[in-house]
Amino acid sequence: AFLEPSSSRNAGFSTKLTAFDFADVMYAPHSYDSNAEMGSGFDPTHRQQILDNVADLAEEAKNLHAGLWIGEYGGVATSPGIVDYMTAQYDAAGAAAASTMYWAYDDGGYGFTNTDGSERQPLTDTLVRPYPERVAGDPQSYAFDAATKTFTLTYTPRSMKEPTRILVPARVYPSGFTVDCGDCSTSRDGDVVVIDKAPSARPAVISLHP
């Protein structure tokens, strides 16, 4: 079940939801900057507010015995500060090891493609980043440094039937990339790096770089 809190959570009020009496629950709040949503663009000094808010959402999810899935985040492609805004959202989700879903409602200008299919830049390039598709264990964090094009996933491996999979968009590494993970073993499945054998280190760290 993906359970969303009241819209008052978007205004900064803590959720009133209590722990659920069934398993397999995801807490599904939204993450937005209020000034950007009101048409003022994103002020980079608000970056820490986004990081702090998502950290609070992660704590709420923990108290609800649920995973954190940010069911909406996004920004108007033509708004000032869109790169800083979406980078802050990615970084916040990664720090909390949260899953996310981009809100691409086009009537509001949030879509990352135009009606003719062409991309809205620089929004599209900002959104297209590596991310953990599946983690065979307990994810602690993931991050991507756009300046050095370095992606890092930190997690505690557990014995599972399916391997960890990291989606790596080809456009991010047009000349290829290197995987560093100690004594792990990896393979490729299209744009996905598959961790066939997890590193023995705890926590395990998977790093991708040019």
Side-chain angles (χ1 to χ4, degrees), residues 1 10 18 23 25 32 40-41 51 57 77 80 105 114 127 158-159 165 169 196 210:
N10 297 347
T18 57
V25 174
Y32 288 105
S40 301
L51 295 173
L57 295 176
Y105 184 58
N114 297 302
L127 294 174
R158 296 192 182 278
S159 178
R165 295 169 58 90
D196 298 305

Side-chain angles (χ1 to χ4, degrees), residues 93-117:
S99 296
T100 64
M101 182 68 71
Y102 183 81
W103 177 250
Y105 184 58
D106 219 23
D107 282 359
Y110 290 77
F112 45 88
T113 59
N114 297 302
T115 54
D116 63 0

Side-chain angles (χ1 to χ4, degrees), residues 102-198:
Y102 183 81
W103 177 250
Y105 184 58
D106 219 23
D107 282 359
Y110 290 77
F112 45 88
T113 59
N114 297 302
T115 54
D116 63 0
S118 60
E119 298 175 351
R120 288 177 175 165
Q121 295 292 4
L123 174 62
T124 304
D125 277 344
T126 305
L127 294 174
V128 178
R129 298 180 172 208
Y131 66 89
E133 184 180 64
R134 301 176 187 173
V135 178
D138 299 324
Q140 296 182 13
S141 65
Y142 60 89
F144 180 68
D145 184 331
T148 63
K149 294 190 181 299
T150 299
F151 170 84
T152 305
L153 167 66
T154 303
Y155 72 108
T156 301
R158 296 192 182 278
S159 178
M160 291 188 174
K161 294 181 180 180
E162 297 295 328
T164 292
R165 295 169 58 90
I166 302 170
L167 193 141
V168 187
R171 75 166 67 194
V172 177
Y173 298 106
S175 300
F177 59 89
T178 298
V179 181
D180 289 333
C181 52
D183 59 348
C184 78
S185 61
T186 68
S187 59
R188 296 287 297 274
D189 180 12
D191 280 351
V192 174
V193 171
V194 182
I195 310 302
D196 298 305
K197 175 181 174 292

